[in-house]
Each structure stands twice: as structure tokens, then as C-alpha cells.
Amino acid sequence: MSGKTVVLEGPSCPIPIQEYPHILMGHGGGGRLTQMLIEKMFLEAFRNPALEQLHDGAVLDVGGARLAISTDTFVVSPLFFPGGDIGSLSVHGTVNDLAMCGAQPLALTAAFVLEEGLPMDGLWRITRSLQAAAEQAGVRVVTGDTKVVDRGKGDKIFINTTGLGLVAPGVAVSPRNARPGDVVLLSGAIAMHGIAIMSVREGLEFGTTIESDSAALHGLVADVLAAAGPGAVRVLRDPTRGGVASALNEIAAACGAGICLQETAIPVHEQVRGACEILGLDPLYVANEGKCIAIVAPEAAEEALAAMRAHPLGREAAIVGVVTEEHPGQLLLRSRVGGLRVVDMMSGEQLPRIC
């Protein structure tokens, strides 16, 4: 070895590092900073046709079958919250990402990063919750990994799950498939997960317990696909980080059309609305873990809505908007008093460590 310094030549970092020399919490918030990180760095580095879809998962043709694959890492704080915990959440999140590809989930992997000092009874409680959620969703945990980091080098436990699913013939779901005239459906009341986390984290009391909506949505999605017909369901998306506003902004950008929401049609529970007002949050940007956005052809909208409402997780489903030729690439909201305003992508982090 000569000791000579080796300089690796290559393109410069595509992120504007004068403005963002370090990663911020907002880069994981699901808003504009996350979008910039993905599109300017990760997509630039790994570009391929499957990744360019910027969907919740990828669909690959393998030996004549269409396999969906998705991965997610769960860093929620606190680990236990009203309506769920990091164990069940790590199943629901990945199962839902597969469902948003129109896939029937088959199997999961589970990888645990544990911090030295984590109480063993807490880990057992999380493990049992993950097991129960997987059994309820009808998926098996078929392989995994365990790593332990030094005390103080983690935050008790992080879990990564990767899921495999099978997409039925004729199902073609993509954010790019929405077109003017399509109808936007929402499977239920929004913002419950984010407010449930915030209430525990900050020790807030709202007069009643607000529980997370964390749940596996593949059964609801299967019912919608069967009722509307696979070709009529253009887009499926679970509005997690960044909420409904960020999810629909991403879809509008992908399909190049506008999306217009009716504020009065969007279901929000009164206690959640009140909590948002106290905390200064817009429910449209608050995370959900058991809700689905479906964009469907107009002639299939009523069938899709009926299927959602017939499912236990979709009783409060509603038609909340339409895809339009006007304002391409933008999300707009028709307010309660009739005004029309742009609902932009969230720029930073409204609620960190939410999933």
C-alpha cells in the first residue's frame, strides 16, 4: 500500500446540499422533503421501470405470475398506543402496501433491530402482537433477522417487514392511471392514527380515547376490485405519512391531472377534528394506518362505494372528489363556504416517528 489517497470520481450529489447538508426529520415525513430525497437521490441511483412507478410496492412478472413486493421499516414512538403497537403496525403497514398494488398478500419477512437493555417482556408482547396480526391477515412470517445495537445507539426497537403478494390477472393499479372524470373514494374517517400517537406522546387528554385505525386492508380492497371490476380501479393508495393531502398530491403529479376534493364530504370524527384544532394540525396531513384511497372509473363508483361500506373497515366510506382536466398536477379543495384553494404537498414533518 502506497498510502496514496484514492478519489472516487462520479456525479455530484443531486440534493441541493448547500440548503440541506444533513438529513432532517422532515426527510422521513412523507411530504415534499421525502419526495425530493426519493426522486433526486434514490430514484436517480437505482432507476428502473418498476421503481419509476413510485408506487407503494413493485409488481414483477416471474414465471408467468405477477408478484408484488413491498418493504417498510417501523420506528413509531411510543411502541404501544391506543388501538395498536409497533408489532401489529409492522404487519398492517406492509400488508396494506401490497394491497395498494392490488395484490393478495402471501408472506412476510420480519427483521428486528433491538437496543441493548430492551425489556424482554416488552419484546415478547410485541412479538405476540405481530404474530396475531399476521394470523388475522392470513399471512405467514417465513424468515427474518435479528440485530442488537449498543445501549443508547437505538430507540428500543425498530422492525422492518417485507411482503410478497400475488396480483390477479387484469388488475392494473398505478398512480399514473387516474384520468379526468374518475371518482375519488375514501374508505373512512381520517387522521385517527396520527392523533392517537400524538395524544400518548404528549400526554394529552381529549375527554375520550382516540384510537389508531391500524388495520389490514387487503380484504376491503379485494371486495372493491370484485365489485367494480379490476380494470375500473385505477389507483389505490393508503394515506399514511403526510396523510390524504400528500398521497393525492403524489397521484396528481404522477397522472398529470388535477384532483378536486369536497371538504364537506371528507369524513372526520368530531373528537379528532377538535384535537387537530387544539394542536394546530390539518386533518388532511395527519397519518392514517387503516384507510384507503381508491380512484375508480365513474361508471363503477357506486359499486365500489357499496363494496367499501359493506366491509367492516369501510362503513364510513364516502365519495370525496373527482379527477379533473383543470389544474393539472395539483390538488384542490372546495371549502365548506364554496371557495377553492390549492392543497400543497406538506413541506416538512408534521408528526415525526408516526409509523
Side-chain angles (χ1 to χ4, degrees):
M1 298 289 289
S2 64
K4 183 179 179 181
T5 300
V6 176
V7 178
L8 298 176
E9 298 292 343
S12 60
C13 179
I15 299 291
I17 58 175
Q18 296 299 325
E19 190 173 353
Y20 299 106
H22 304 99
I23 285 292
L24 308 175
M25 289 300 291
H27 284 110
R32 191 175 299 282
L33 288 182
T34 303
Q35 186 183 40
M36 181 178 70
L37 188 66
I38 292 172
E39 294 186 358
K40 291 186 178 297
M41 183 173 284
F42 300 137
L43 182 60
E44 183 68 23
F46 308 128
R47 183 177 296 278
N48 61 71
L51 192 61
E52 286 173 352
Q53 295 293 318
L54 295 177
H55 201 4
D56 286 331
V59 178
L60 306 174
D61 291 326
V62 181
R66 298 172 69 213
L67 290 179
I69 182 170
S70 186
T71 192
D72 207 340
T73 301
F74 298 87
V75 298
V76 64
S77 177
L79 301 178
F80 301 93
F81 48 84
D85 56 73
I86 192 172
S88 57
L89 185 66
S90 64
V91 172
H92 296 157
T94 296
V95 163
N96 289 346
D97 284 345
L98 292 171
M100 298 308 123
C101 297
Q104 176 65 35
L106 299 176
L108 295 177
T109 71
F112 299 85
V113 178
L114 310 175
E115 183 184 7
E116 181 185 22
L118 174 69
M120 194 64 78
D121 60 348
L123 177 58
W124 177 238
R125 185 179 165 192
I126 290 167
T127 302
R128 290 298 300 270
S129 176
L130 194 157
Q131 175 197 24
E135 289 180 356
Q136 189 173 19
V139 296
R140 294 179 296 163
V141 178
V142 294
T143 188
D145 185 43
T146 305
K147 296 291 190 298
V148 179
V149 298
D150 295 336
R151 192 185 299 267
K153 298 294 179 62
D155 192 2
K156 303 181 183 65
I157 179 173
F158 301 140
I159 301 176
N160 173 273
T161 53
T162 297
L164 282 176
L166 194 60
V167 181
V171 175
V173 177
S174 169
R176 297 180 177 181
N177 289 352
R179 60 193 69 168
D182 286 350
V183 176
V184 182
L185 286 79
L186 188 59
S187 66
I190 63 172
M192 296 167 63
H193 177 72
I195 295 302
I197 296 289
M198 180 59 86
S199 65
V200 176
R201 189 183 295 171
E202 303 299 329
L204 301 175
E205 296 182 0
F206 302 112
T208 181
T209 300
I210 299 173
E211 293 194 347
S212 167
D213 59 351
S214 181
L217 294 168
H218 58 300
L220 181 145
V221 167
D223 289 353
V224 171
L225 288 169
V233 180
R234 320 275 203 212
V235 186
L236 294 165
R237 179 62 62 91
D238 55 340
T240 54
R241 293 174 304 164
V244 170
S246 293
L248 287 175
N249 264 293
E250 291 174 0
I251 294 168
C255 71
I259 297 177
C260 185
L261 295 176
Q262 292 288 337
E263 185 176 18
T264 54
I266 300 170
V268 185
H269 290 169
E270 281 306 313
Q271 62 268 37
V272 171
R273 189 186 304 279
C276 286
E277 290 176 355
I278 292 171
L279 296 168
L281 302 175
D282 185 337
L284 284 174
Y285 291 97
V286 178
N288 312 272
E289 288 293 347
K291 296 298 181 297
C292 169
I293 295 170
I295 298 181
V296 302
E299 61 273 16
E302 290 302 326
E303 289 84 355
L305 179 63
M308 279 189 176
R309 287 178 172 173
H311 193 278
L313 297 176
R315 294 193 182 103
E316 299 174 295
I319 293 174
V320 298
V322 294
V323 180
T324 71
E325 293 182 345
E326 300 173 337
H327 310 286
Q330 289 189 312
L331 173 65
L332 293 100
L333 180 75
R334 180 74 64 185
S335 72
R336 296 176 183 277
V337 296
L340 192 64
R341 68 175 175 89
V342 174
V343 180
D344 205 354
M345 175 77 81
M346 187 172 64
S347 60
E349 177 71 87
Q350 192 178 42
L351 296 175
R353 304 282 300 278
I354 207 76
C355 59

